[in-house]
Amino acid sequence: MQHQWTLFAGGLGLFLLAMSFLERGLTNLVGKKFKHSLKNFTSTPIRGIIAGTAATAIMQSSSVVTLMVLAFMGAGILEMHNALGVIFGANLGTTFTGWIVATLGFKIDVQTLAFPLIAVGGVGGVVLAERKNLSTAFQVLAALGMLLLGLDFMKNSMVSLEQYFDLAALQGYPLIIYAFFALFFTAIIQSSSAMMMITLTALNAQLIDIHAAAALAVGADIGTTMTTLLGSIGGSAAKKQAAFAHITFNIITGILALTFLIPLIQFCMMLTANPLYILVAFHSTFNFLGILLFLPFTESFARLLAKSFQSKRITYLEFIDNVSPQIAEASIVAIKNELGSLINKVIKCIKIAFRLEASAIENQPIFTKLYYEIKEIEGALITFMARIQLEGQERLTHDTLRKYSLALSELMHGIKGIKDIKHNIDTFADSENSRLRQYSDLFFEQSRDFYTNLTHILNIVSELQLYDELIELKKSNEVHYHDLVEKITHDAGSSKIPQEEVANLALMNREIYSAQKSIINFVADWKFDPVKAYDFQSIP
């Protein structure tokens, strides 16, 4: 008997390890395509359900799909009500594992298939290690072989262990006990798929009847939410919203499945007489019915989640704080959106410096506070981009990161230049010399016009119109700078301004021009592709 328990435990361990390898390999192979599809195929909750179901069925991991959903939510790509569709669909998609195993694992000689898969996959994965995609594909084959072999060990041990169980004694327990057992066991091993395989092997060995097996399947579905719950502890508001949505869906669906377990089993018996197929059909059916139940309420449910779980952390970040750098596509969009938020902060900070906002004079300390807030965001962006690069992303991602890094550098050069002349701005604005106050008014007026035009440009959708208007803004900045150089030179020569202030006026003119030029370059790097941004900046 000890040997059989060891065989069962070894089979379970091998199955869990294989699931981990399979999940990682399939994510690397098809994850990129799914990420692209997710951004373009989740415009409605129904489309989200289809995307979540398909992705989980292919990648064999609802946790990976949920991670991607959280990343895209944090990046601002997915709205919560559409993300709910993906989460619900992932629950249905994960039931496909049962269909595959019920068909392959119990209908063929597993070892005849498993060992060749492990042999070909293992050798191919090592020999072709330099060719990443091919190596990963072979590793997936090896993982599939290991998964089938682990299942075979569990199946054989169950058949041998049957003699040690008194089936009559087990029949006296209510179904809720089976459900709670599966719930706690799944929470411990962190795999509802493994719990389903154990249930299928026990059902195949006739250790339990179909009703007990169905209760175990329900408990496994509820128990898998423990992974999501643990992952949300200390996480962002978006992460907690997704976790609560997952938990609520599984618990309510599970309670209804237990309540109507017998009618659902009878319905599945009308489709097939095979107990294994009845079980997996039951598993898919109650998850599908749960989706139908929740679907009409997704938008109101999303609003409730948003109201119930709001961020309590003090953070200046709006997007990258909620995204994992492992999800490159979501990370890139999050950086772009964070830069969009940052330029608005920079514009506000500069307007305060030039006293262009209401009550700006009384609130000058806000400039310093806002400037250091901007610096903190810069540090977070640099760190985040470095973490993405450490993930070893493809060339296109590195090129985009370089573009955004250049944009960030230009933007920070602009705000730094204004900070450096902040004391000059205040000195001339409050000067008793009327000529210096006139220059101050000129600087303020030009800055007002520049940032009014810039705010308008940032809202332009057409890339062609954006390009043309940025060129006009760039030209006007050049003209204003040179006009003021001539004016300062003329007034200095005719002694209309104090000699000791000539250098400061020239410095202010140069720094304002340089800051505005850098901010224009930021918009080009931020909005255009690298080639077009370079062409723009090459224009004299």
Side-chain angles (χ1 to χ4, degrees):
M1 181 178 178
Q2 184 177 359
H3 170 71
Q4 301 305 325
W5 281 116
T6 304
L7 184 63
F8 174 80
L12 176 60
L14 187 60
F15 181 88
L16 289 171
L17 183 63
M19 281 293 293
S20 175
F21 289 159
L22 193 63
E23 172 187 312
R24 193 180 311 160
L26 288 172
T27 300
N28 290 333
L29 284 177
V30 303
K32 196 180 301 179
K33 293 180 181 178
F34 165 63
K35 295 166 194 172
H36 178 74
S37 300
L38 186 63
K39 290 188 287 185
N40 298 291
F41 199 70
T42 52
S43 56
T44 66
I46 292 178
R47 289 165 69 92
I49 288 169
I50 296 171
T53 302
T56 307
I58 293 169
M59 290 193 283
Q60 294 293 294
S61 174
S62 58
S63 60
V64 169
V65 175
T66 303
L67 173 65
M68 292 180 185
V69 170
L70 289 174
F72 286 128
M73 282 178 61
I77 297 172
L78 271 181
E79 296 293 333
M80 185 63 199
H81 63 277
N82 293 337
L84 286 176
V86 182
I87 293 170
F88 298 158
N91 258 51
L92 180 61
T94 198
T95 68
F96 280 79
T97 306
W99 286 100
I100 294 169
V101 173
T103 302
L104 295 179
F106 296 91
K107 301 300 179 184
I108 61 174
D109 183 354
V110 171
Q111 294 191 16
T112 303
L113 180 61
F115 287 125
L117 285 174
I118 294 171
V120 173
V123 172
V126 172
V127 172
L128 299 171
E130 297 298 322
R131 303 182 65 179
K132 189 174 180 181
N133 286 340
L134 270 177
S135 177
T136 302
F138 277 107
Q139 290 171 24
V140 166
L141 290 178
L144 182 58
M146 291 167 59
L147 186 146
L148 291 173
L149 190 61
L151 175 67
D152 193 57
F153 289 165
M154 286 192 290
K155 182 174 66 175
N156 291 336
S157 66
M158 279 288 185
V159 172
S160 302
L161 288 170
E162 181 182 4
Q163 58 184 305
Y164 297 100
F165 286 91
D166 182 1
L167 297 179
L170 288 176
Q171 292 174 359
Y173 287 96
L175 296 179
I176 190 69
I177 298 299
Y178 287 93
F180 273 114
F181 169 79
L183 189 160
F184 289 116
F185 191 80
T186 303
I188 293 170
I189 64 174
Q190 299 285 289
S191 175
S192 60
S193 294
M195 185 65 235
M196 275 298 295
M197 297 315 104
I198 293 171
T199 303
L200 283 166
T201 54
L203 181 62
N204 183 66
Q206 298 182 357
L207 291 174
I208 54 176
D209 61 22
I210 185 60
H211 296 90
L216 289 172
V218 173
D221 256 35
I222 299 174
T224 195
T225 62
M226 186 59 66
T227 304
T228 311
L229 178 63
L230 292 174
S232 69
I233 295 174
S236 64
K239 208 167 193 177
K240 291 176 181 176
Q241 290 171 21
F244 187 77
H246 188 205
I247 293 167
T248 303
F249 176 83
N250 284 38
I251 289 178
I252 293 178
T253 302
I255 291 173
L256 291 175
L258 284 174
T259 303
F260 299 101
L261 187 143
I262 293 177
L264 286 173
I265 290 293
Q266 290 174 344
F267 169 75
C268 294
M269 285 178 173
M270 294 169 60
L271 304 176
T272 177
N274 187 315
L276 300 180
Y277 286 141
I278 292 172
L279 178 60
V280 292
F282 168 80
H283 193 203
S284 295
T285 300
F286 80 74
N287 273 288
F288 178 72
L289 292 176
I291 290 173
L292 293 182
L293 175 66
F294 273 80
L295 185 59
F297 307 104
T298 49
E299 292 198 15
S300 55
F301 189 29
R303 287 194 296 270
L304 176 64
L305 290 169
K307 187 183 296 185
S308 302
F309 297 93
Q310 298 179 358
S311 179
K312 295 181 179 179
R313 290 187 298 166
I314 300 175
T315 177
Y316 304 128
L317 302 168
E318 295 185 35
F319 297 97
I320 64 171
D321 209 26
N322 295 325
V323 178
S324 167
Q326 295 175 335
I327 312 295
E329 287 82 353
S331 299
I332 292 298
V333 176
I335 292 169
K336 183 178 181 179
N337 290 340
E338 201 72 67
L339 287 172
S341 175
L342 186 59
I343 179 62
N344 290 327
K345 292 180 188 295
V346 167
I347 291 173
K348 181 178 180 180
C349 192
I350 294 174
K351 282 184 174 181
I352 290 173
F354 285 105
R355 308 181 182 186
L356 301 177
E357 292 207 336
S359 304
I361 296 177
E362 293 80 1
N363 292 307
Q364 284 302 293
I366 294 177
F367 174 87
T368 303
K369 178 179 181 296
L370 191 54
Y371 176 78
Y372 285 108
E373 181 179 318
I374 290 167
K375 289 292 292 180
E376 186 172 326
I377 294 171
E378 178 198 19
L381 277 165
I382 292 172
T383 302
F384 188 72
M385 286 189 274
R387 289 173 63 195
I388 296 173
Q389 289 178 323
L390 289 175
E391 293 294 327
Q393 302 295 342
E394 68 274 8
R395 175 73 188 197
L396 182 61
T397 299
H398 282 296
D399 289 344
T400 307
L401 285 174
R402 183 175 180 275
K403 179 176 86 88
Y404 287 149
S405 180
L406 289 172
L408 179 61
S409 178
E410 292 279 12
L411 186 60
M412 296 310 298
H413 181 268
I415 186 63
K416 176 68 164 55
I418 299 302
K419 179 181 180 294
D420 289 344
I421 60 168
K422 177 69 167 59
H423 64 287
N424 299 103
I425 294 172
D426 293 336
T427 298
F428 290 136
D430 300 327
S431 175
E432 295 180 358
N433 186 305
S434 62
R435 182 69 66 174
L436 293 180
R437 288 201 305 273
Q438 287 175 8
Y439 272 100
S440 178
D441 291 342
L442 285 174
F443 290 137
F444 284 16
E445 183 180 351
Q446 192 273 338
S447 297
R448 179 184 292 106
D449 292 342
F450 177 87
Y451 291 105
T452 299
N453 289 332
L454 179 65
T455 302
H456 163 71
I457 287 171
L458 292 175
N459 293 320
I460 294 175
V461 177
S462 167
E463 188 173 286
L464 181 61
Q465 183 185 354
L466 174 64
Y467 192 89
D468 291 341
E469 296 211 20
L470 266 184
I471 289 176
E472 288 301 316
L473 190 62
K474 184 175 184 178
K475 288 179 179 177
S476 67
N477 187 42
E478 292 277 347
V479 169
H480 190 273
Y481 167 70
H482 290 295
D483 285 349
L484 273 179
V485 168
E486 291 182 10
K487 181 174 176 56
I488 292 170
T489 303
H490 177 270
D491 287 352
S494 57
S495 301
K496 291 182 178 179
I497 50 177
Q499 186 175 350
E500 65 272 14
E501 297 295 353
V502 173
N504 287 329
L505 280 174
L507 172 67
M508 280 187 65
N509 187 36
R510 187 171 60 252
E511 289 295 338
I512 292 171
Y513 160 76
S514 179
Q516 293 176 354
K517 182 179 178 180
S518 291
I519 290 172
I520 291 171
N521 288 338
F522 159 80
V523 177
D525 283 329
W526 179 46
K527 291 284 191 178
F528 302 142
D529 63 68
V531 175
K532 196 164 189 176
Y534 178 80
D535 290 342
F536 174 85
Q537 292 172 14
S538 300
I539 297 173

